[in-house]
Amino acid sequence: MTNFSATHATSPAPRVGELANFIWSIADLLRGDYKQSEYGRVILPLTVIRRLDAVLERTKKQVVAEAEKRQGQPETLVEQFLRKAAGGLAFWNTYPLTFTELTDDPDNLADNLRQYVTHFSQGAREVIEAYDFLPQITRLANAGVLYQVVAKFAEARLGPASIGQMQMGYLFEELIRRFSEQSNETAGEHFTPREVIRLMVNLLLGEDDDILTAKGIAKTVFDPACGTGGMLSVAQDWLRQLNPDAQFITFGQELNAETFAMCRSDLLIKSETGNEAENIRLGNSFSEDRFKGQHFDYLLANPPFGVEWKKVERIVKDEAAKGGGRFDAGLPRINDGSFLFLQHMISKMKPVDQGGSRIAIVFNGSPLFTGAAGSGESEIRRWILENDWLEGIVALPDQLFYNTGISTYFWIVSNRKDPAHTGKVILLDARDQYEKMRKSLGDKRKYVSDQQIALVTRIYADAFEIAADASHEHHDRIRVFAPTDFGYHRIQIEQPVKRAPVAEEDAKRPSRSHKRVPDKSLTDYENVPLAEDIHAYFAREVLPYVPDAWIDEKKTKVGYEIPFTRYFYKYVPPRPLEEIDAELREIEAEIQVLLSKVTK
């Protein structure tokens, strides 16, 4: 299994750092008129605009001339000619002035900049509109800093001769990272820590080294909650490192307009033609699936934790009731849509006869065990496990993410398990694999180092060998189960109503009814492992203590849960009382010494 870490990624050239620092410094002009968390609303779209302008500079005159020549002709026909004039690029700008020439007329800069932006081709214009940039022009003008900001960006050398496509991508991601970390309160909403993504991508793709090293291989990767596109970008870097001739065609959907703009911008400015940017689409994955009917080789996501889906409740429930859709297995409770994302992703796996698919998704602990037998969550787990799609779960350290300190887990799901994985589920405990950060970023106080990424990747790849060797140093980190090991029968146990004593002559009279009447106040439940006969369990565990109890057979349900922490629990005996008493006496003595100094 190939390991991909920061030290193995393509290293950004010093030029990237210099340009990032220069552009970052422009944000100082916004101080006082903008909050720090708002700087990205200006800096990021202007970075995109400046890059596009620099790329288009070579063909600018031809595009403007072609636009004038084609006035009044059908729009679709005009677009074909403009694309050709732009050298085959998927974007162009028909305004007569270049970005740098806008500063030649300071008095009309605001109006000219608005005109310049609106003269971009539709795809590029959609990105800039998603940033809601036009109102920022007015705001900058009213603050008296528009000219200074635009003039500074005009100085930035972002043309292809100065910075290549991939380096430009690194530059833009670096700016996104800086703005995200500066705005701790919103960072986690759309920015997953890069070391977490690298580990996730290792686990998703590492099993397929033999497939992905083939010459000229092309695969698709999809993120239904793509945020700023970090996961898609890291997946591309991983493949580029493994096989420079291979290609990942990326697809993503994002609910938030601003982060959608960031993701599409990233692809727009680092792809050769900008065509791939069209694969990033805006909308709610549940209510407006922008990739309906499409299937992908790899899927990965970090959906928001514990977010309710009430806004799309009617649409989701209608689809589930109709049948044959994404949510047939069950619906989770309304306050957590995590399992909806996983069902959505499973619906987009390729059929096995077309090569199948692999999925990696980040969850909190809730999907492991929330929901009793028969609930939506339990039925979804049952569906996944009984289809033998769950390959493994990896427990991560807490405090890895910007907006939550809770524990998180990777779920690895596949409909094309190799023979060694068939009928098996790996649980890997990596909760102690972290380093402490020197400075916290929101709730993020820990990170996974390159060495730890490599170690977890290796342990997952060798999980079966490690589990079989009790003397292995990492044996205690691994558990391997059959999918049905997580299943159980939930049985309902009843006890009869306790009747008052009757007279002897009444007791001799024949009973009119032999029906047992349960005392509902004594109703109890037991979870019996699927592998065990419920009647044998009942006879052993219940009847010796409640001889008149019985099972209400009609109420028996099948449930599934994954009590991860229980499997890795280690009993730590309490400290001896003598040791605690000695420590208390020592503390009391210290207090007495301190008090004596005060009273002197």
Side-chain angles (χ1 to χ4, degrees):
M1 178 182 281
T2 298
N3 167 52
F4 175 66
S5 62
T7 53
H8 295 106
T10 306
S11 301
R15 177 69 175 154
V16 171
E18 294 171 13
L19 280 169
N21 290 336
F22 174 77
I23 293 172
W24 181 256
S25 70
I26 300 175
D28 289 337
L29 296 170
L30 307 177
R31 199 181 302 275
D33 298 299
Y34 281 78
K35 298 176 184 177
Q36 283 190 342
S37 60
E38 296 177 319
Y39 289 174
R41 298 180 185 178
V42 173
I43 302 301
L44 293 176
L46 278 173
T47 301
V48 175
I49 291 169
R50 180 68 184 103
R51 169 64 174 185
L52 298 184
D53 179 81
V55 170
L56 296 171
E57 186 175 353
R58 183 177 57 86
T59 60
K60 178 73 173 181
K61 291 180 179 179
Q62 296 94 302
V63 169
V64 172
E66 193 68 36
E68 291 177 356
K69 179 181 176 182
R70 301 293 171 181
Q71 283 185 5
Q73 295 184 10
E75 186 175 346
T76 53
L77 181 64
V78 173
E79 286 182 357
Q80 294 177 23
F81 284 109
L82 293 178
R83 183 187 289 263
K84 184 177 180 181
L89 296 176
F91 55 89
W92 53 84
N93 187 295
T94 59
Y95 196 59
L97 301 178
T98 65
F99 182 84
T100 55
E101 290 171 343
L102 295 175
T103 58
D104 294 341
D105 186 1
D107 294 337
N108 295 301
L109 177 57
D111 289 338
N112 287 338
L113 181 55
R114 289 189 194 95
Q115 288 294 318
Y116 176 84
V117 168
T118 57
H119 278 72
F120 270 110
S121 53
Q122 183 178 347
R125 193 169 64 248
E126 284 177 358
V127 171
I128 299 166
E129 288 172 354
Y131 279 112
D132 198 23
F133 180 64
L134 291 179
Q136 304 307 323
I137 296 175
T138 303
R139 186 173 173 183
L140 290 167
N142 291 340
V145 294
L146 178 62
Y147 179 82
Q148 295 150 280
V149 170
V150 172
K152 275 289 184 183
F153 266 101
E155 294 176 21
R157 302 184 64 181
L158 300 183
S162 301
I163 180 168
Q165 294 154 6
M166 287 312 305
Q167 299 301 313
M168 187 64 210
Y170 287 129
L171 166 62
F172 194 71
E173 288 178 22
E174 173 65 11
L175 292 173
I176 292 174
R177 182 191 66 80
R178 292 191 189 188
F179 285 122
S180 295
E181 292 182 353
Q182 190 177 58
S183 178
N184 288 337
E185 72 275 11
T186 60
E189 293 177 8
H190 54 80
F191 191 84
T192 305
R194 284 305 186 264
E195 87 275 9
V196 174
I197 302 177
R198 286 194 290 271
L199 175 55
M200 186 177 181
V201 168
N202 274 2
L203 301 177
L204 176 68
L205 304 179
E207 294 287 327
D208 288 350
D209 284 7
D210 55 337
I211 297 173
L212 298 174
T213 50
K215 187 173 182 180
I217 190 75
K219 293 289 183 179
T220 55
V221 59
F222 174 62
D223 183 346
C226 62
T228 58
M231 290 192 173
L232 297 174
S233 179
V234 171
Q236 285 181 319
D237 286 346
W238 190 99
L239 185 61
R240 192 176 299 109
Q241 171 201 322
L242 179 71
N243 181 0
D245 294 328
Q247 181 185 13
F248 258 146
I249 305 168
T250 54
F251 299 81
Q253 184 161 341
E254 171 57 25
L255 174 63
N256 180 280
E258 186 175 2
T259 48
F260 153 78
M262 294 180 194
C263 183
R264 187 181 261 199
S265 299
D266 187 34
L267 286 174
L268 191 64
I269 62 184
K270 72 183 182 188
S271 63
E272 289 186 7
T273 63
N275 289 324
E276 198 169 325
E278 301 295 322
N279 294 340
I280 306 301
R281 297 171 189 171
L282 181 65
N284 187 304
S285 289
F286 303 147
S287 59
E288 43 186 337
D289 180 5
R290 303 294 301 277
F291 297 93
K292 196 166 186 176
Q294 290 183 247
H295 300 89
F296 307 94
D297 297 298
Y298 300 97
L299 304 95
L300 71 176
N302 174 21
F305 302 144
V307 174
E308 69 173 29
W309 46 281
K310 198 169 186 65
K311 290 181 180 178
V312 295
E313 180 180 7
R314 182 184 58 79
I315 296 172
V316 170
K317 287 186 173 179
D318 285 351
E319 180 176 336
K322 192 181 299 181
R326 297 169 291 174
F327 310 118
D328 289 2
L331 297 178
R333 60 197 62 198
I334 199 72
N335 61 1
D336 188 355
S338 298
F339 264 145
L340 293 181
F341 273 103
L342 183 52
Q343 289 183 91
H344 175 66
M345 294 167 79
I346 288 174
S347 76
K348 297 195 174 297
M349 292 196 298
K350 286 187 172 181
V352 177
D353 60 5
Q354 295 178 23
S357 303
R358 287 174 62 78
I359 294 172
I361 189 168
V362 186
F363 279 154
N364 61 14
S366 178
L368 292 169
F369 51 79
T370 297
S375 68
E377 291 91 347
S378 179
E379 287 299 294
I380 295 166
R381 286 189 292 268
R382 179 181 181 179
W383 174 62
I384 293 168
L385 286 160
E386 291 188 351
N387 276 290
D388 195 19
W389 290 334
L390 183 61
E391 178 182 292
I393 297 175
V394 178
L396 302 174
D398 59 8
Q399 301 178 36
L400 282 183
F401 291 82
Y402 298 103
N403 63 343
T404 180
I406 62 175
S407 297
T408 50
Y409 301 80
F410 290 148
W411 286 44
I412 310 299
V413 175
S414 177
N415 63 351
R416 57 172 178 85
K417 286 185 177 182
D418 61 41
H421 283 87
T422 301
K424 297 176 183 177
V425 178
I426 298 168
L427 302 187
L428 193 166
D429 185 3
R431 288 174 293 180
D432 64 345
Q433 294 300 297
Y434 67 86
E435 301 290 343
K436 287 191 174 181
M437 298 178 62
R438 294 178 182 174
K439 182 181 178 183
S440 299
L441 291 169
D443 290 312
K444 183 174 174 59
R445 296 177 178 85
K446 300 174 182 176
Y447 71 98
V448 185
S449 69
D450 290 349
Q451 293 75 22
Q452 290 161 339
I453 290 173
L455 176 63
V456 175
T457 302
R458 189 166 63 251
I459 292 173
Y460 189 84
D462 299 338
F464 298 130
E465 292 83 354
I466 294 172
D469 183 358
S471 63
H472 195 284
E473 62 177 320
H474 298 300
H475 177 77
D476 289 344
R477 297 183 184 278
I478 290 290
R479 302 285 186 274
V480 177
F481 295 93
T484 52
D485 289 342
F486 303 113
Y488 61 90
H489 284 108
R490 184 173 178 82
I491 60 175
Q492 183 169 318
I493 300 171
E494 301 290 4
Q495 297 180 49
V497 172
K498 308 299 182 185
R499 299 186 182 278
V502 296
E504 185 176 344
E505 58 272 16
D506 291 335
K508 293 178 181 178
R509 293 175 187 165
S511 173
R512 293 183 179 179
S513 173
H514 295 286
K515 185 177 181 181
R516 294 175 293 187
V517 179
D519 184 341
K520 289 302 180 182
S521 68
L522 298 176
T523 298
D524 202 356
Y525 301 90
E526 291 281 337
N527 290 346
V528 183
L530 280 183
E532 186 166 357
D533 180 80
I534 60 174
H535 298 98
Y537 176 94
F538 179 72
R540 185 183 71 249
E541 300 292 339
V542 179
L543 285 181
Y545 310 101
V546 193
D548 56 356
W550 71 91
I551 300 173
D552 186 340
E553 303 278 0
K554 294 180 180 179
K555 302 290 179 62
T556 299
K557 297 179 180 178
V558 173
Y560 276 81
E561 65 177 7
I562 306 172
F564 194 102
T565 54
R566 186 196 305 168
Y567 296 131
F568 292 93
Y569 173 75
K570 293 179 182 177
Y571 173 72
V572 179
R575 295 164 60 196
L577 287 174
E578 296 78 8
E579 183 181 324
I580 296 172
D581 286 340
E583 187 175 317
L584 288 173
R585 286 193 294 271
E586 184 179 334
I587 294 172
E588 287 174 355
E590 291 175 1
I591 291 172
Q592 290 298 328
V593 171
L594 292 172
L595 288 173
S596 65
K597 291 180 180 179
V598 173
T599 55
K600 284 183 180 179

